[in-house]
Amino acid sequence: MKFFSALISSSILLASAVSGQEIVRGEDPQADAIRDMQTGFSGLQQAAKDPVMMAQMMEDLKDPEMMAEAQKMMNSPDFKKQMKQFEKSKEFKQASSKMKQMMDDPQTAARMQAQAEHMVQRGQDTMKKESMNTMADAMQAMNDPKVMAEALKMMRDPEFAQQMQAMQHDPTMKKYMAAMQDMMADPNAAAQMEMMKNAMKAQL
């Protein structure tokens, strides 16, 4: 979390480092690198203001495939070339100096970490609530005979079954499955799910 809070803070400094500058692509490789890096950091800058985005980024950091892709990008010659150009810039040096000063101050570093942790927790709570609401709406929709019939039709399709199997490792699907497990702690929700499962089994 310390690394992540530092990364977020750095992105805010770096993303704003060249704001207001007129850069004509192709005239200065260093300026091109600055603009490209600013564009890349803008997502982190936005995440610093959005608890859900920040929480999702933390989840993405746990995804081996996503991290492998990120590592592949960072090891690419083009990325390394841009980073070298970016690191030579006055903007990068100024932002790095400010970041070092912030992290060297224990109170500032602790405050940054606490803020990041609070934002992530808020985002996780919101994502969990949204997932539970989505699953509750889906269960409610299954009370409609037409929706139930359509769901059964899809479940009988071998291709759909394969797609569902592949989605088991998808982070979004995992969130919905976790939300469903939490909902099953409610006796009423558990009873409704059992009734729905029995109804579907009877027609499959």
Side-chain angles (χ1 to χ4, degrees), residues 59-92:
E59 289 297 316
D60 292 344
L61 290 174
K62 301 175 185 177
D63 185 339
E65 292 184 5
M66 190 168 292
M67 293 306 296
E69 283 298 317
Q71 190 66 39
K72 181 179 178 181
M73 179 196 71
M74 289 188 289
N75 287 333
S76 71
D78 288 343
F79 182 85
K80 290 181 178 180
K81 181 179 179 180
Q82 282 193 322
M83 278 302 299
K84 285 182 180 179
Q85 290 290 346
F86 189 41
E87 289 168 358
K88 295 176 185 177
S89 70
K90 177 182 67 176
E91 291 79 11
F92 177 84

Side-chain angles (χ1 to χ4, degrees), residues 121-190:
Q121 186 60 56
R122 282 178 55 198
Q124 290 174 337
D125 291 344
T126 299
M127 290 167 63
K128 181 178 179 179
K129 184 177 180 180
E130 289 176 350
S131 296
M132 291 181 70
N133 288 341
T134 298
M135 295 305 297
D137 290 343
M139 289 176 62
Q140 186 64 33
M142 294 298 283
N143 291 326
D144 184 336
K146 292 183 179 180
V147 175
M148 175 66 84
E150 187 62 29
L152 289 168
K153 180 180 177 181
M154 293 174 65
M155 292 178 67
R156 294 189 184 103
D157 184 349
E159 185 176 344
F160 177 75
Q162 291 179 354
Q163 291 175 347
M164 290 298 296
Q165 185 68 28
M167 288 177 63
Q168 295 299 313
H169 302 292
D170 182 79
T172 300
M173 178 61 73
K174 289 181 179 180
K175 286 190 295 186
Y176 288 137
M177 296 302 294
M180 179 61 73
Q181 291 179 351
D182 290 337
M183 289 174 64
M184 291 304 98
D186 179 356
N188 292 330

Side-chain angles (χ1 to χ4, degrees), residues 17-137:
V18 294
S19 60
Q21 293 186 20
E22 287 293 331
I23 295 178
V24 179
R25 183 168 291 280
E27 291 187 354
D28 183 349
Q30 190 177 96
D32 290 346
I34 292 172
R35 179 61 65 191
D36 290 340
M37 288 299 169
Q38 184 192 33
T39 300
F41 277 118
S42 63
L44 288 173
Q45 187 180 30
Q46 181 61 36
K49 304 174 185 177
D50 187 333
V52 173
M53 283 186 66
M54 186 179 287
Q56 185 59 59
M57 287 181 66
M58 289 297 290
E59 289 297 316
D60 292 344
L61 290 174
K62 301 175 185 177
D63 185 339
E65 292 184 5
M66 190 168 292
M67 293 306 296
E69 283 298 317
Q71 190 66 39
K72 181 179 178 181
M73 179 196 71
M74 289 188 289
N75 287 333
S76 71
D78 288 343
F79 182 85
K80 290 181 178 180
K81 181 179 179 180
Q82 282 193 322
M83 278 302 299
K84 285 182 180 179
Q85 290 290 346
F86 189 41
E87 289 168 358
K88 295 176 185 177
S89 70
K90 177 182 67 176
E91 291 79 11
F92 177 84
K93 293 176 181 178
Q94 290 176 344
S96 297
S97 178
K98 289 180 181 179
M99 191 64 229
K100 185 177 185 305
Q101 290 176 11
M102 292 168 64
M103 297 307 295
D104 285 345
D105 181 352
Q107 291 186 342
T108 301
R111 183 174 68 251
M112 288 167 53
Q113 182 178 352
Q115 289 174 341
E117 290 176 350
H118 178 64
M119 287 279 283
V120 170
Q121 186 60 56
R122 282 178 55 198
Q124 290 174 337
D125 291 344
T126 299
M127 290 167 63
K128 181 178 179 179
K129 184 177 180 180
E130 289 176 350
S131 296
M132 291 181 70
N133 288 341
T134 298
M135 295 305 297
D137 290 343

